[in-house]
Amino acid sequence: MSGSGTTAAPDPLQTAVWRLRSRGCWTDAAALLAPRAADPAAALQRAALLVEQCLYTERGWPEAEDALRAAEAVAQGDEERGAAACERGALAYASTLLGVRDRADEARSALGRAAALIPPEAPGRALLDFRRGLIAENLGDSPQAARAAYRRAHAGATAHDDPLLLSSTWRHLAGLALREGELAEARHGFAESLRIREELGYLVGTAPALAALADAEPEPESGRLLAEAARLFRLLDGVPTWLARRLNQVPPPRPATA
C-alpha cells in the first residue's frame, strides 16, 4: 500500500481511512472498509492496511492472511490480480525480514507474478518496483539491483503523484548512499523523506524518517532528531516495534524497514 488516502479526497470514507492509518490504527481503518468487502478495490485496500500493520507491529498475521485471501478471491482482471500478488509478496517479505517465518521464496514468487500482470506504465508498478528493491537489498544483499528498482519506483511515484511512496524511495535511496559514504546525498534524501511524511501527516512513519536522518547528521542535530523520534515512538505505544533498539527503548527490536 502506498499513497491511498494521502490527499484530501472527496470521499469521506477515504479521508477517515487515511486518518486512522496515519496514526497506526490499521485495524480500525480496515473495519471501515469491511462492509465493502465484495468490491475488489476495497478488499485490496483492506488487505494492504492489515499487511502494513504486520510490518509495523509484528502482529496481526492471521488477519492479514484472511484479508489477503478475500482480496485474491474477488480480484478481477490482470491489474487487480497483480496488485493482490504484490500484497502477498509484501506480507511474505515482512514475515521473513522480521523473523516470524522464512517466506523469501514465496515473496519473490508473488512479486514475480505481480510483475507479469501489472503493465509497466500502470500506477501499481511503482509500488511493485519498490518492494522488489526491498527484497534485493534486505534479502538478496544486492545494493545495485536494489538501487535500480528504487529508481524505477521513484520515477513511477513521481509520474503518478504518489507522495507517500516517494517518501519511501527517497529514504531507501538515501540509505544506499549512506552505505557508500555519500553523506550529502544521503542527508538530502532522508530530509526529503521526512519533509513529505510530515506534510502528509503520516505520523506512524515519521519516527523512522527522523531516525534515518539522524544517521546522516552530526551532533547535536543527530541527538535532537533521535529525541523527537523517541517522543513519537512513545506517543504511538512503541510502533514501529523494530525501531526500539535504535531509540534505546524496549521491547527488543526486529530488523528495520518501511
Side-chain angles (χ1 to χ4, degrees), residues 138-205:
N138 296 315
L139 302 186
D141 193 24
S142 179
Q144 289 185 335
R147 181 180 292 104
Y150 292 150
R151 284 176 174 167
R152 291 194 301 272
H154 193 84
T158 301
H160 294 288
D161 191 23
D162 189 340
L164 186 56
L165 180 56
L166 198 62
S167 78
S168 294
T169 57
W170 272 121
R171 181 179 165 210
H172 283 270
L173 285 167
L176 293 176
L178 186 64
R179 285 175 58 177
E180 296 176 351
E182 299 292 340
L183 278 178
E185 182 180 344
R187 192 176 294 119
H188 174 71
F190 288 140
E192 283 297 296
S193 177
L194 176 60
R195 177 188 63 79
I196 292 170
R197 291 187 174 195
E198 288 180 333
E199 288 179 355
L200 292 173
Y202 188 54
L203 190 64
V204 75

Side-chain angles (χ1 to χ4, degrees), residues 91-166:
L91 186 63
Y93 164 79
S95 175
T96 305
L97 188 70
L98 297 173
V100 176
R101 182 159 62 90
D102 186 349
R103 299 171 60 180
D105 289 344
E106 180 186 353
R108 293 187 177 96
S109 175
L111 295 187
R113 289 198 306 276
L117 291 167
I118 301 174
E121 301 305 318
R125 190 74 184 205
L127 180 59
L128 170 61
D129 284 332
F130 175 68
R131 287 171 169 170
R132 297 180 92 178
L134 291 175
I135 286 181
E137 180 181 6
N138 296 315
L139 302 186
D141 193 24
S142 179
Q144 289 185 335
R147 181 180 292 104
Y150 292 150
R151 284 176 174 167
R152 291 194 301 272
H154 193 84
T158 301
H160 294 288
D161 191 23
D162 189 340
L164 186 56
L165 180 56
L166 198 62

